[in-house]
Amino acid sequence: MRASPDIVINHATVRERMRLDAFLAGCAERGMRQVSIWGDEVERTGLDNVRSLLAQTGLTVFGYNRAGPLTATGPAERADRAARARREIEIAAALGADHVMVFTGGLPAGSRDLTATRRRVADTVAGLTEHAGTCGVKLAIEPLHPMLAGDRTCLTTLAEANDLCDRLGDGAGIVIDVYHVWWDPALEAEIRRAGSRILGFHVNDWLVPTGHVLRDRGMMGDGIIDLAGIHGLVREAGYDGPVEVEVFSDRWWAEDPDVAIDTAIRRCRDIFGSAAGSERP
Ligand code: ZN
């Protein structure tokens, strides 16, 4: 099924059963222009191989996952993780990525001090933003759902992401993932506040009931998120980039990856209309 160039598939949606080379070929065959990819798959495939696959298919990298985790139990681990994040930023730049996703990590083992963790992460991200600027790539702050605050993030709302970007300046922006922010009473105001900072818009759905907060995201349309409504807010705020499909789901990982991609394209077309999904020759 051909897709609008305004759709990006995040490789995580199908990577359990589709390696990076097949994924890139599948996106190119469907007429997509950009892909979002993960560093572990780049490592598995080889950086030079990925660069030539991109050149062959004409695809460019939209989101690169990821710089982080950054939280650590002490200065040595923190320095080690920051160094690793800098290397990931360099790989993203070498691949010409539009932006690098920042993954903060949750509370360090043994810690209950979320306030100090947040402060340290902000300092680390400030340093990484400078490095990213030198490399010529933008950092993307993505607030994650508060249910993930224990083990995966210390940054859980769009308001926090906007506050952090106030400090970071132009080198960083925000990725809005509906799964993480749909519940937020301040959503509309914070999307408006984010404005030109919005670097990406991730779509999936919130299932009721949700079996697992990490591995049970829904395909767009199968849950309760007002996807068209949030998409409208993001567009009104000035975002004119693609809609990125990112479905972490045991159910969809078990599916034929081509079926998952085609289903995602169809759902985007139904929900987002001509802004992301109209079939073009
Ligand atoms: Zn996301």
Side-chain angles (χ1 to χ4, degrees):
M1 177 181 294
R2 287 192 66 79
S4 154
D6 297 329
I7 296 178
V8 167
I9 308 287
N10 186 303
H11 188 204
T13 304
V14 291
R15 70 173 173 183
E16 300 291 313
R17 295 183 57 189
M18 190 181 240
R19 293 269 71 88
L20 184 57
D21 52 352
F23 172 68
L24 295 176
C27 288
E29 276 162 20
R30 289 172 172 87
M32 288 180 245
R33 292 180 189 157
Q34 300 180 92
V35 285
S36 286
I37 61 174
W38 290 71
D40 51 357
E41 277 290 314
V42 172
E43 198 175 337
R44 185 201 296 255
T45 311
L47 180 59
D48 288 342
N49 289 336
V50 176
R51 287 172 64 138
S52 44
L53 286 167
L54 290 168
Q56 280 163 31
T57 54
L59 290 161
T60 57
V61 176
F62 186 56
Y64 178 89
N65 297 268
R66 60 200 182 183
L70 307 173
T71 54
T73 49
E77 190 184 28
R78 192 152 41 248
D80 190 54
R81 290 191 158 185
R84 169 83 201 175
R86 283 195 295 275
R87 281 199 299 279
E88 293 292 346
I89 289 166
E90 288 155 16
I91 293 167
L95 292 170
D98 180 77
H99 54 270
V100 185
M101 304 300 297
V102 173
F103 177 68
T104 71
L107 274 175
S111 170
R112 292 188 172 84
D113 194 345
L114 191 51
T115 304
T117 302
R118 285 182 174 132
R119 198 171 51 237
R120 285 200 195 97
V121 161
D123 291 344
T124 306
V125 174
L128 292 178
T129 304
E130 266 189 57
H131 186 63
T134 309
C135 296
V137 65
K138 284 172 281 185
L139 282 194
I141 312 295
E142 182 187 37
L144 302 185
H145 194 281
M147 285 283 283
L148 300 168
D151 59 347
R152 303 186 73 75
T153 192
C154 59
L155 205 151
T156 55
T157 65
L158 260 182
E160 287 174 276
N162 270 317
D163 289 347
L164 183 55
C165 283
D166 283 346
R167 171 179 168 185
L168 297 175
D170 288 343
I174 296 174
V175 162
I176 295 177
D177 185 326
V178 292
Y179 195 78
H180 300 302
V181 302
W182 68 275
W183 56 271
D184 187 346
L187 185 61
E188 188 172 344
E190 291 297 332
I191 287 176
R192 209 177 303 121
R193 181 181 165 205
S196 61
R197 284 175 179 158
I198 303 172
L199 298 177
F201 179 57
H202 292 184
V203 299
N204 40 67
D205 216 332
W206 187 276
L207 301 177
V208 177
T210 285
H212 192 288
V213 76
L214 194 62
R215 307 172 60 93
D216 192 27
R217 292 191 192 188
M219 182 64 73
M220 297 73 70
D222 288 346
I224 56 159
I225 299 180
D226 178 12
L227 293 165
I230 299 175
H231 179 246
L233 293 175
V234 168
R235 294 294 182 205
E236 274 169 34
Y239 177 70
D240 62 359
V243 167
E244 176 172 335
V245 175
E246 186 185 52
V247 181
F248 293 88
S249 158
D250 286 329
R251 180 248 180 273
W252 287 100
W253 285 331
E255 183 61 83
D256 176 339
D258 285 307
V259 171
I261 291 173
D262 287 338
T263 304
I265 292 169
R266 202 175 303 115
R267 298 292 180 86
C268 282
R269 185 179 301 166
D270 290 347
I271 296 166
F272 305 113
S274 58
S278 56
E279 196 162 4
R280 294 174 195 178

